[in-house]
Amino acid sequence: MYLRIALVVCAAILSACASGYQQFYKPYVDAKSLQDVQTLPPSESPKIFSSNDLQRDVKIARSRGYIPIGHSSFNGEMESERGVVKQAQQTGAVLVLVTSKFTETRTITTPLFVPNNQTTYSSGSVYGTSGSANYSGTSTTYGTAVIPITSQQQRYDQTAVYFVKSTRKLKFGLFSIDLPPELRSKLERNTGALIDIVAEESPAFAANVLAGDVLIELNGTTVLNAKHAGELMQSAHPTDRKVPLKVIRNGAERVIEVTLNES
């Protein structure tokens, strides 16, 4: 009986603890500080999708207008979706991508302390000058016993990435990164930026700019790196709304005209 009560108490304590999705959450940005985004009302649940290729699916989500605001990553027992939902409600995430991978089965031994009281019963007679008297009574020694509890625990690497939805009309719809060393060697150049993501329904998407293109010029200016590409896109204000991009695709240079959204 003592063992059953102790196990129930332990289970209640564990269920009350914060989940790994909450304990190991690392924010990229506070969603409340972002403008023109859709966040999750506290009473609603986010869209949750399982991913077998998180890097790919994060790019797909970003191409559809979702902005990553943070992630949770930890190793432990497989947790329920409830922890994901709670963390999304706290952060305002409308979309969550989750992935898990089995890592090991671990043997866990936990000491359980249970009461081990011992009661001694005594009785007898006492003789004195005035006669004899009978007596009886009990005495209790209080103590505890340790019972080892062994269990098998299956553990998983678990990750969740949280997103809010942008409502802003994108000027270009391009997201670039610096050229990796191997691409610099292949192209024999240091300048340029690798187009990593093209947002759907954006001006760049409509102009058939592709992820994997290497942007080398924007509106006649040589692109130095990803940061410079972002600055050039931000400052572009053509009178006819058309901006020429020079890219390298499959080893050949080509010029693509992007018609910007009206401001």
Side-chain angles (χ1 to χ4, degrees):
M1 179 178 178
Y2 290 128
L3 178 59
R4 188 185 311 160
I5 293 173
L7 289 175
V8 171
V9 171
C10 289
I13 293 174
L14 290 174
S15 63
C17 293
S19 74
Y21 293 107
Q22 295 170 291
Q23 292 182 47
F24 299 100
Y25 177 74
K26 294 183 178 179
Y28 307 143
V29 64
D30 184 354
K32 296 178 182 178
S33 68
L34 300 176
Q35 296 181 344
D36 303 320
V37 296
Q38 175 191 349
T39 58
L40 185 73
S43 59
E44 295 187 11
S45 295
K47 297 177 182 177
I48 300 175
F49 295 98
S50 179
S51 171
N52 59 8
D53 188 335
L54 200 57
Q55 185 176 9
R56 175 202 64 197
D57 292 337
V58 167
K59 288 185 178 182
I60 292 174
R62 290 182 61 193
S63 74
R64 294 176 179 172
Y66 290 95
I67 302 172
I69 59 171
H71 80 281
S72 305
S73 185
F74 60 96
N75 180 273
E77 288 186 283
M78 179 61 72
E79 295 203 10
S80 71
E81 198 173 272
R82 181 171 53 188
V84 180
V85 172
K86 285 185 177 180
Q87 187 58 29
Q89 289 171 335
Q90 288 183 6
T91 59
V94 298
L95 172 71
V96 188
L97 295 177
V98 297
T99 185
S100 62
K101 182 180 180 181
F102 174 76
T103 56
E104 63 175 327
T105 298
R106 186 178 297 180
T107 301
I108 305 295
T109 301
T110 305
L112 180 65
F113 296 89
V114 297
N116 185 25
N117 302 334
Q118 296 182 353
T119 301
T120 302
Y121 297 89
S122 59
S123 62
S125 299
V126 177
Y127 298 92
T129 56
S130 58
S132 64
N134 297 326
Y135 70 92
S136 65
T138 61
S139 61
T140 302
T141 302
Y142 297 93
T144 57
V146 180
I147 301 176
I149 299 177
T150 302
S151 61
Q152 298 293 316
Q153 185 185 83
Q154 292 186 322
R155 299 179 68 87
Y156 298 79
D157 285 337
Q158 299 166 73
T159 302
V161 183
Y162 304 83
F163 301 82
V164 293
K165 185 73 164 65
S166 174
T167 58
R168 179 179 299 177
K169 186 181 290 186
L170 296 174
K171 191 174 184 179
F172 278 88
L174 292 179
F175 302 92
S176 65
I177 60 175
D178 290 337
L179 296 181
E182 61 273 14
L183 189 54
R184 291 186 183 188
S185 298
K186 180 180 179 180
L187 298 177
E188 298 182 352
R189 65 180 302 134
N190 290 319
T191 59
L194 177 63
I195 297 175
D196 191 41
I197 297 170
V198 179
E200 296 181 6
E201 301 180 3
S202 67
F205 183 89
N208 291 314
V209 180
L210 301 179
D213 288 347
V214 175
L215 180 61
I216 58 175
E217 284 187 15
L218 194 152
N219 208 19
T221 302
T222 298
V223 173
L224 300 179
N225 49 38
K227 180 182 178 183
H228 188 222
E231 293 170 349
L232 292 175
M233 286 187 281
Q234 185 67 27
S235 62
H237 295 290
T239 55
D240 59 358
R241 294 171 48 216
K242 292 183 183 294
V243 177
L245 306 182
K246 182 181 286 188
V247 303
I248 299 176
R249 182 184 297 174
N250 297 325
E253 294 184 6
R254 65 172 66 191
V255 176
I256 303 174
E257 277 198 343
V258 177
T259 301
L260 303 187
N261 285 321
E262 294 184 12
S263 40

